[in-house]
Amino acid sequence: MVSKLRIAIIETDNPVFSSIQKRGSYGVIYSDLLKAAAPQAGLTEDDLQLTVHDVVENTTDYPKLEDIDGVIMTGSKYDSYKDIQWINRLVAFAQEILAQDRVRLMGVCFGHQIIGRAMGVKVGPSDRGWEVSACKIELSERGKDLFKKQDLHIMQMHKDIVYDYPPHVEKLGRTPLCEVQGMYVPRKLISVQGHPEFTQEIVEEILEWRAERGLLDRKVFADGMSRAGEQHDGLDVFAAFLRFMLEGR
């Protein structure tokens, strides 16, 4: 590589869960996973220049596009479809990135939905209900190529979905509860609906928190807890993000 990959991590939440806080903020967790995935993409930690931008607490903390090569938008407890100032600003930032051809865009869960919204497709609560815990993604041929796997197992924690694929966007995978599990445009964008940064401990704590508050029914909770310890491919997703960043370079 001629120079470092400059990736801005856009933090869209400050979780209160102890299982996340003991690993650090989302920015720290994403940074650690990108560094850990670097060898799978033929990189080292030293090839990455990572910055973190909390756009919830500081709604003006956005990087300048001339200073970065890529952006990854994190997951969040917030509703991506809501008409809220900081969320609207995030959508506008995604549109700014999509309107040019150098800086690349990556999204996880909430970030995936923000990209869908920025591209003009419907985003909102699913009539199929919650999708939680470790789930198997039925990958498209493009998905198999990008993730280097025949199928992908990834943690989920969402009820909101991207309803349709935007024009000219390639499908990466589906599940029975969510048809739009990943989006891709070469050298432009890649996103996943799941949470590659989640672990069994994180999923179990969130499930318990939501069940205690009546946000999940007992059947969904029990099913999610029974699968939380299953194998998942989170690191492979971050490796795919890095390979995407290297396309054509």
Side-chain angles (χ1 to χ4, degrees):
M1 288 185 56
V2 177
S3 59
K4 291 179 180 287
L5 277 181
R6 302 169 300 169
I7 300 175
I9 300 166
I10 305 299
E11 279 188 327
T12 62
D13 199 0
N14 294 296
V16 298
F17 302 106
S18 62
S19 56
I20 295 177
Q21 289 181 339
K22 73 181 183 181
R23 295 174 64 196
S25 67
Y26 269 150
V28 172
I29 293 171
Y30 278 62
S31 295
D32 288 346
L33 287 166
L34 286 166
K35 292 174 184 177
Q40 292 188 46
L43 300 169
T44 69
E45 289 187 24
D46 291 337
D47 293 319
L48 304 178
Q49 181 177 309
L50 307 174
T51 56
V52 179
H53 307 263
D54 180 352
V55 299
V56 181
E57 296 298 325
N58 183 357
T59 58
T60 62
D61 187 23
Y62 283 90
K64 295 180 180 178
L65 295 190
E66 58 263 33
D67 295 334
I68 57 174
D69 303 304
V71 166
I72 180 168
M73 296 182 173
T74 72
S76 177
K77 64 178 174 288
Y78 297 102
D79 296 321
S80 59
Y81 56 89
K82 288 290 183 66
D83 182 14
I84 296 174
Q85 184 176 4
W86 76 265
I87 294 178
N88 293 341
R89 173 68 184 89
L90 184 62
V91 172
F93 182 61
Q95 290 171 332
E96 180 184 354
I97 297 170
L98 294 169
Q100 51 79 68
D101 293 319
R102 190 186 64 80
V103 178
R104 302 179 185 186
L105 183 57
M106 298 162 278
V108 169
C109 195
F110 175 89
H112 161 83
Q113 296 163 14
I114 290 293
I115 294 172
R117 179 176 166 183
M119 299 184 79
V121 295
K122 179 182 177 182
V123 176
S126 171
D127 57 10
R128 302 181 190 179
W130 283 91
E131 185 170 43
V132 303
S133 203
C135 296
K136 177 181 176 180
I137 309 297
E138 178 187 335
L139 293 175
S140 65
E141 290 304 312
R142 176 64 85 176
K144 292 175 185 178
D145 177 60
L146 291 174
F147 295 114
K148 309 300 182 188
K149 306 183 79 67
Q150 288 302 299
D151 48 52
L152 188 72
H153 295 80
I154 189 171
M155 294 297 195
Q156 304 274 3
M157 191 62 65
H158 70 102
K159 188 176 182 181
D160 298 340
I161 61 170
V162 178
Y163 270 79
D164 301 293
Y165 284 92
H168 313 299
V169 168
E170 295 188 53
K171 304 176 182 180
L172 295 186
R174 65 172 301 279
T175 63
L177 291 177
C178 179
E179 292 294 329
V180 185
Q181 283 286 348
M183 302 188 294
Y184 174 69
V185 176
R187 307 184 188 184
K188 191 80 169 175
L189 71 89
I190 188 171
S191 67
V192 293
Q193 175 56 71
H195 278 279
E197 79 281 19
F198 278 7
T199 63
Q200 177 181 355
E201 183 183 17
I202 292 171
V203 166
E204 288 178 344
E205 184 179 6
I206 296 175
L207 286 173
E208 289 170 352
W209 187 90
R210 288 184 168 165
E212 288 169 359
R213 288 158 180 78
L215 300 175
L216 298 175
D217 65 39
R218 300 307 298 180
K219 183 178 179 181
V220 172
F221 170 73
D223 177 55
M225 291 293 284
S226 73
R227 291 183 287 104
E230 293 181 3
Q231 175 265 342
H232 66 96
D233 303 312
L235 201 61
D236 295 299
V237 174
F238 282 96
F241 285 175
L242 290 174
R243 288 192 294 269
F244 158 76
M245 286 297 304
L246 293 172
E247 289 175 357
R249 295 184 187 273

